[in-house]
Amino acid sequence: MKVLHILAAGDVGGIEVLCKNIIKNANWDNRICVLFKEGSIYEELKVDGYNIFSLKDCNNKVFKIAKRLSNYCVKEKIDIVTVHHGGLTINIIYILIHRLLKSKKENIKFVRYLHGSFDKYSFGNSKNKFKNYLIKYFMQKAFDISDMLIFISQAVKISFEKKFKLGNNEIVYNGIDSKFFCDIKHKNKTESLRLIYVGRLYKTKGISILISACKILKDQKVDFKLIIVGEGEEKENLEKQVIQYELEEIVSFVGKQNNVIDWLDNADIFIYPSIWEEGFGISVVEAMSRGCIPITFKRGGLPEIIDSGKNGFLVDKIDEKELAQKIKEVDQLNNEKQNEVREKAVEKARKYTIQKTINSLESIYKLVLK
C-alpha cells in the first residue's frame, strides 16, 4: 500500500508532526509532498532518508502542481492520495489531481483529512464574501470526490456537518510518540507555581489572554512563573504586552525547543488558552502524558480529552479573570488532589498513542482500497 500525504508546508505544527510520526512508524509505504514551504520537519525527514519531496519550485502555480503530482502518482503507482491542510488553494489542487487521474483512468483513492474545525478563525474569515463562497464551494467539491473523510475529533466532524454534505467518514484521534511515556517524573506541589504553554504563537491560541491572566495573578500576589515555548507571528506583540504589564521577571519566551519533554517535566500546570474551536490539542495530550495538569478553555475537541475536575480543568468562558481564577484554584489544591489529577491525566493520555492512530488509519485505508 502506497500513500501520498500532501501538506502545505513542512515546518513544525500538529499536522506536520503527525505526518512525520506516521512516516516513521507505519509499516506501509508513506510519502510526503510539501507544496509551498519546506521547514524543519521537512529537513529532518530529508536528512533521515525518508521519502519526502517539495514542489516549492512550482511557485504556487496550481495547474503545474496538480500535473506534477498526478504524473508522480502514476509513475510511483500510488494507491491513496491524502490531503491534510484545508485552504482554498489546496482544495483546488486536490480536485485537479483527481480530475487528471480520472482522465487517465487511474483508480487511485482520495482521502480528505480534516485537522481543524470549520469556524471563523480557520475558514470563511475573509472580508471578501465571494472568497468565502469559493472556500465553501471547493471544500464541498473536495468532499464529493473523496472516498473517505477523516476527522480528528467529534467536534471537528460536527462543525463540518453543520455546513456541508459529508460522505463516508471516520474519526481518528491524533496520537503522540511513545517517548512521552518513558521515564515519567513524579511531581509534587511546589512553593512557586510553574506554568507552561507549548505551541504556535498565533492570535487564535489566546496567549494574550493568558498574559492578561498572569497580570491578575501577579496583582493577587500569587507566586508563579510562566514559560512560553514556541514561535509565531504574535511573538513581538506578546513580548510588548509582557513589558507593558511589568511581567518580565515572571513570563519567559524560550522559542522553539526540541526537548519539549524536559520543559514539561519542569512544569506543574499546562495552560492552553485557545480561543478557536480547537480540533484536538495534541500538545495538551503531550503535557498530560508528563503529568502536567491541563487548563484550557472549553473549545472544540478539548472536552473530548479533558474530563474537567478529574484529569484537568476546562474554563467555560473565554476571559482572563476566569482563567486566572481557575489557575489559582488548581494551585490551592492539596498535594494529594493534584497528584490524583496528574495520574488520571497520564492515564487519559495513554489512550492517544501514535500506534493507535496508525492502526486506525491502516484499517481505514484498507477499507478504502477494497
Side-chain angles (χ1 to χ4, degrees), residues 55-262:
L55 292 184
K56 179 183 170 185
D57 64 325
C58 289
N59 298 316
N60 300 346
K61 295 178 180 177
V62 295
F63 289 102
K64 187 175 182 180
I65 291 170
K67 190 174 181 180
R68 289 264 299 265
L69 284 174
S70 62
N71 289 339
Y72 176 87
C73 289
V74 174
K75 180 184 176 183
E76 295 295 321
K77 295 182 169 55
I78 297 298
D79 297 301
I80 298 173
V81 171
T82 300
V83 168
H84 291 267
H85 286 100
L88 173 60
T89 304
I90 288 189
N91 276 328
I92 292 173
I93 291 169
Y94 180 69
I95 294 164
L96 286 172
I97 296 168
H98 183 269
R99 286 185 179 177
L100 287 168
L101 289 172
K102 288 299 178 184
S103 71
K104 298 175 183 178
K105 302 192 185 311
E106 295 288 337
N107 189 30
I108 295 172
K109 303 299 182 181
F110 280 71
V111 173
R112 193 70 180 78
Y113 217 126
L114 286 310
H115 295 268
S117 299
F118 193 91
D119 75 352
K120 65 180 180 179
Y121 293 112
S122 54
F123 300 101
N125 60 353
S126 172
K127 293 179 181 179
N128 186 321
K129 289 184 178 180
F130 182 63
K131 184 177 180 181
N132 289 337
Y133 166 79
L134 290 177
I135 288 169
K136 290 186 68 176
Y137 176 82
F138 283 106
M139 183 70 79
Q140 184 63 66
K141 288 293 182 184
F143 288 175
D144 292 343
I145 65 171
S146 295
D147 297 284
M148 181 65 71
L149 307 177
I150 297 176
F151 300 98
I152 64 167
S153 67
Q154 187 68 33
V156 172
K157 178 181 175 180
I158 290 170
S159 75
F160 279 93
E161 279 180 330
K162 293 175 180 178
K163 304 285 185 180
F164 301 94
K165 180 181 178 182
L166 307 182
N168 296 329
N169 64 85
E170 296 284 349
I171 294 172
V172 178
Y173 288 105
N174 289 346
I176 62 175
D177 195 290
S178 59
K179 67 183 180 182
F180 281 93
F181 299 105
C182 296
D183 190 26
I184 300 172
K185 309 295 183 185
H186 180 75
K187 298 182 181 183
N188 284 310
K189 187 176 173 68
T190 55
E191 287 187 18
S192 179
L193 181 62
R194 302 171 300 175
L195 308 178
I196 190 169
Y197 165 86
V198 179
R200 291 180 173 177
L201 308 186
Y202 291 167
K203 278 188 178 181
T204 54
K205 296 300 183 181
I207 308 155
S208 63
I209 298 175
L210 172 55
I211 293 172
S212 295
C214 288
K215 173 69 164 60
I216 294 170
L217 292 172
K218 178 191 174 187
D219 291 344
Q220 295 176 350
K221 308 301 181 184
V222 176
D223 184 9
F224 75 102
K225 301 284 186 184
L226 168 64
I227 298 293
I228 296 177
V229 180
E231 294 285 351
E233 59 195 26
E234 279 296 295
K235 185 174 183 180
E236 185 177 342
N237 290 333
L238 295 170
E239 288 175 332
K240 288 178 180 177
Q241 186 182 3
V242 166
I243 294 169
Q244 178 188 348
Y245 290 161
E246 298 180 344
L247 295 170
E248 297 96 320
E249 299 299 316
I250 293 174
V251 179
S252 300
F253 293 86
V254 298
K256 193 183 298 182
Q257 297 290 325
N258 293 324
N259 57 335
V260 68
I261 288 176
D262 293 339

